[in-house]
Amino acid sequence: MSNSILNAGINIFGTVSKNLYDGVLRIHSKETLIIDHIDAVIYLEARGKMSGVKNRIVSFQIDTKRTVQKDESYKIPFTFNLPDGYIDSYSGKNVSISYNCEAKIHVNEEDLEKLDRSVFTKVKSFFTSDYATKVSTYFNKFNKEENYKISREHSDLKLAYNFISLLFTTLIVSVLFLIALLSLKFELHAIHGLIFIASVALVSYIQFEIKKKKIGDISLKTFNSDEGFICAVKPARNFSLTKAEIYYQIIEKVVDNRGTSSSTYTKTIFKSPIKPLKSKGSSEVEFQFPENKSWSSMEFEDASIYWEIVIKGKHSGVSEVMKCTIEAYKN
Amino acid sequence: MKKNFLFNPFSGVLHEDIPKVILPNIDIESILFKIQNSDHLAIEFIGKQGRGKTSHLRYLQHILPEYPLFLLNKTSSVSEVMESTSEVVFVDSIHHLSFSNRIQLFKQKKVVIYTTHWRRNIECLLTKTDYYSLRFKGIQPKQLQHILNERLKLASKTEPSDILFSEKDAKVLINKFGDNYRGIINHLYEKYQ
């Protein structure tokens, strides 16, 4: 037990029903004090490799006009409702999202002298010049009952840039550049470096567009099933990816905008089993949802979780990948 | 995340907590005097990324909350800064504004305090703005030790007397990361997550 005159603690037990939470505020005082009112605020916090964010969600009153007797302990129960639409708590590699319940105990002005002010965190009340004691606790918001659902609307499958192809292009352009340098015998200047980079970029772009046309299109439709979802894949007639396989993955992404330049951190938090697609014609592949129910698609400030369908296969002996983002939510 | 902590001590700091963890390595009083007594001034915080420029900018704005802070990015435009009626503005990452927009900003505002990777003295010369530049470079072990321990205390559930960083720990981190404060913080974030 602390040496403070007034000790307080707060616990959140969990959900009574959807979005309704219950908790208790514990108070013990070494002096008899009159408490004018006890107010609480629920915050949604995101902390990680990004600027810290703390957003006020809801505020409510826990108690009003209470006298705490010297050396007696009190447990004050309370409930609060979190509005619909707020994301679940999440703890990942680059970000943690959690909820914080902060209670302020406003002791009556006449009893302030009884408190040992050097010990407490003092916070001025917004409305008056009273001083308040602050106590807080973090709690998690998870809805384990609801299952995921996949939205039928999603982006088209797009061919991803291939590092091997880029490397190959750079090699070809470098060789051509070297041949030009040796045969024309010009002096190297900074401008030639810029021309080289521009050439690599242009050739890469043209090569990518040609490859995209050669591989062809493939359409994707998603349907919810009992335990997961179904991907119905229909390649165009000219589709030429061979040994095609499909899977989905869930990715955590954080954009670090702290400071004068930004960095992006991603982490694959789930990868489904890989399933083969038919070599010709349409395929229907069923996937199960992950057991973890806190990975719904979400975007909060600089952090996001997104689901991605990935189709990989071979084209001219090189592995190619097509991707699209799908929306996973809970009712 | 380690059990002694309410949150990862090396995660991004909330704006309200900046004064608790920062150890200013610039003369704050002198800068405050310049802001409040200049007619037409640009105060520049310059240095590589991760050296504390934005942290110091935010700290100053915490002391002077009556002046707005603009955290610019690739999609920002000068209008969001110009629409502010304040004569004094804090601007992070001023390089996200074009040269002509920076000229417009320096012409219109009385004092602009900004962060940047590159010097903006040409814009100041063209707009006849007084120019005061502070370079953020280097970090001392004692400084780093203080900053890291303040972060530990802020995030701790109880008094963290047994888990504080020593000066030797700080030297090891500086040997590995140099004065890249952001690199040190991200490294420790992963260890504590």
Side-chain angles (χ1 to χ4, degrees):
Chain A
M1 176 80 72
S2 139
N3 289 328
S4 316
I5 302 297
L6 179 61
N7 286 288
I10 191 167
N11 289 102
I12 306 294
F13 298 124
T15 46
V16 176
S17 60
K18 186 183 174 184
N19 293 346
L20 185 66
Y21 288 77
D22 67 344
V24 73
L25 176 70
R26 292 170 279 103
I27 298 177
H28 180 273
S29 177
K30 291 177 184 171
E31 295 288 341
T32 297
L33 299 171
I34 297 171
I35 292 173
D36 284 342
H37 53 100
I38 304 171
D39 304 318
V41 180
I42 307 296
Y43 294 97
L44 172 55
E45 286 188 14
R47 293 178 187 263
K49 287 183 186 171
M50 53 182 265
S51 298
V53 174
K54 184 175 175 179
N55 288 353
R56 186 187 194 107
I57 304 292
V58 70
S59 52
F60 55 96
Q61 193 166 67
I62 289 178
D63 203 18
T64 183
K65 296 273 184 267
R66 176 181 285 264
T67 300
V68 292
Q69 300 294 336
K70 179 180 172 177
D71 293 331
E72 276 189 30
S73 295
Y74 295 82
K75 284 184 181 178
I76 307 167
F78 60 89
T79 59
F80 61 89
N81 216 33
L82 275 187
D84 271 337
Y86 281 95
I87 55 179
D88 282 346
S89 299
Y90 171 78
S91 181
K93 186 182 177 198
N94 301 299
V95 67
S96 290
I97 294 172
S98 55
Y99 289 79
N100 188 9
C101 176
E102 195 177 276
K104 283 184 198 167
I105 303 169
H106 297 261
V107 175
N108 188 278
E109 207 173 12
E110 288 176 8
D111 283 344
L112 284 177
E113 287 305 314
K114 294 180 186 177
L115 297 178
D116 176 4
R117 294 189 190 197
S118 63
V119 176
F120 286 106
T121 303
K122 299 298 178 288
V123 176
K124 275 192 181 170
S125 142
F126 180 74
F127 295 105
T128 70
S129 59
D130 288 347
Y131 283 80
T133 300
K134 195 167 75 170
V135 64
S136 66
T137 190
Y138 284 91
F139 67 97
N140 287 322
K141 175 188 175 291
F142 292 125
N143 195 329
K144 291 177 187 173
E145 309 304 319
E146 292 169 351
N147 210 349
Y148 293 112
K149 290 243 182 281
I150 300 293
S151 169
R152 295 186 76 155
E153 302 289 324
H154 54 76
S155 55
D156 295 329
L157 279 158
K158 287 197 170 120
L159 187 65
Y161 277 93
N162 188 320
F163 180 69
I164 306 283
S165 298
L166 179 65
L167 207 62
F168 186 68
T169 306
T170 309
L171 200 65
I172 300 288
V173 172
S174 303
V175 167
L176 292 172
F177 220 73
L178 206 60
I179 293 170
L181 181 69
L182 293 171
S183 56
L184 298 172
K185 290 182 187 163
F186 55 81
E187 259 182 44
L188 265 181
H189 293 293
I191 188 82
H192 299 123
L194 288 171
I195 294 171
F196 173 76
I197 290 166
S199 305
V200 169
L202 184 64
V203 171
S204 296
Y205 174 76
I206 293 169
Q207 188 248 358
F208 180 78
E209 290 299 314
I210 292 170
K211 184 170 63 175
K212 209 163 79 172
K213 275 211 154 58
K214 278 189 171 176
I215 289 174
D217 291 325
I218 184 165
S219 72
L220 169 75
K221 283 192 175 148
T222 52
F223 305 97
N224 288 292
S225 64
D226 290 336
E227 290 300 316
F229 66 102
I230 296 166
C231 288
V233 173
K234 188 178 175 185
R237 283 182 72 180
N238 63 339
F239 188 71
S240 63
L241 269 188
T242 57
K243 294 182 187 171
E245 296 172 316
I246 186 171
Y247 63 93
Y248 79 94
Q249 55 189 11
I250 305 173
I251 296 170
E252 166 202 291
K253 179 179 161 186
V254 172
V255 181
D256 187 351
N257 282 314
R258 293 173 293 180
T260 39
S261 39
S262 75
S263 305
T264 299
Y265 300 95
T266 58
K267 166 90 179 144
T268 301
I269 52 182
F270 176 81
K271 189 171 168 180
S272 77
I274 300 173
K275 302 196 176 185
L277 291 173
K278 287 182 194 166
S279 52
K280 282 193 189 306
S282 308
S283 302
E284 271 196 11
V285 179
E286 187 169 4
F287 292 107
Q288 297 226 317
F289 287 128
E291 276 183 29
N292 189 311
K293 298 284 182 247
S294 62
W295 292 337
S296 299
S297 303
M298 69 91 177
E299 203 169 321
F300 180 63
E301 300 289 335
D302 293 330
S304 60
I305 292 175
Y306 63 93
W307 292 40
E308 208 172 50
I309 300 284
V310 182
I311 291 177
K312 61 177 189 178
K314 295 262 188 206
H315 173 73
S316 304
V318 177
S319 287
E320 301 289 349
V321 167
M322 298 181 86
K323 293 180 182 179
C324 78
T325 306
I326 58 173
E327 185 85 11
Y329 61 94
K330 288 196 285 186
N331 278 326
Chain B
M1 192 175 67
K2 299 194 183 199
K3 286 179 186 170
N4 299 330
F5 300 104
L6 298 166
F7 50 83
N8 190 313
F10 303 104
S11 55
V13 176
L14 298 176
H15 187 70
E16 66 203 48
D17 290 334
I18 286 176
K20 296 173 193 168
V21 299
I22 197 168
L23 183 67
N25 59 1
I26 53 175
D27 186 347
I28 296 289
E29 291 302 323
S30 157
I31 294 173
L32 291 174
F33 181 82
K34 284 181 195 301
I35 291 170
Q36 278 149 352
N37 294 284
S38 297
D39 289 330
H40 201 196
L41 174 69
I43 297 178
E44 176 179 272
F45 291 175
I46 186 171
K48 288 184 192 175
Q49 69 161 357
R51 266 63 179 176
K53 303 183 295 296
T54 302
S55 297
H56 281 79
L57 189 82
R58 294 176 77 184
Y59 176 62
L60 267 179
Q61 197 269 340
H62 215 277
I63 300 171
L64 300 170
E66 63 271 30
Y67 304 131
L69 168 66
F70 297 95
L71 303 170
L72 300 184
N73 55 40
K74 292 171 206 174
T75 57
S76 304
S77 71
V78 74
S79 57
E80 64 187 77
V81 188
M82 301 307 291
E83 274 160 15
S84 165
T85 53
S86 176
E87 286 188 317
V88 177
V89 290
F90 293 90
V91 180
D92 184 49
S93 307
I94 203 168
H95 50 272
H96 286 301
L97 299 179
S98 65
F99 181 80
S100 57
N101 285 339
R102 290 195 294 271
I103 296 280
Q104 192 185 352
L105 181 66
F106 287 160
K107 269 185 182 167
Q108 293 219 8
K109 298 297 179 189
K110 189 173 140 193
V111 182
V112 181
I113 310 103
Y114 60 91
T115 64
T116 182
H117 291 311
W118 307 100
R119 290 168 72 92
R120 306 294 166 190
N121 50 336
I122 294 172
E123 291 91 321
C124 294
L125 200 66
L126 292 172
T127 54
K128 293 179 186 167
T129 305
D130 292 337
Y131 173 69
Y132 182 64
S133 181
L134 288 157
R135 185 162 285 275
F136 283 75
K137 191 179 176 181
I139 185 164
Q140 298 304 313
K142 263 195 164 354
Q143 244 178 331
L144 180 63
Q145 181 195 9
H146 176 94
I147 291 166
L148 297 181
N149 288 336
E150 288 307 302
R151 276 176 169 263
L152 287 176
K153 286 176 197 168
L154 184 68
S156 288
K157 287 179 182 172
T158 53
E159 277 299 311
S161 54
D162 55 338
I163 48 167
L164 294 178
F165 286 90
S166 65
E167 200 177 325
K168 189 182 169 188
D169 296 327
K171 280 182 185 166
V172 167
L173 288 167
I174 291 171
N175 282 342
K176 187 172 178 178
F177 294 97
D179 63 349
N180 183 355
Y181 172 73
R182 175 82 50 71
I184 293 170
I185 293 299
N186 282 345
H187 166 76
L188 291 172
Y189 176 84
E190 288 183 10
K191 282 197 167 307
Y192 278 72
Q193 183 63 350

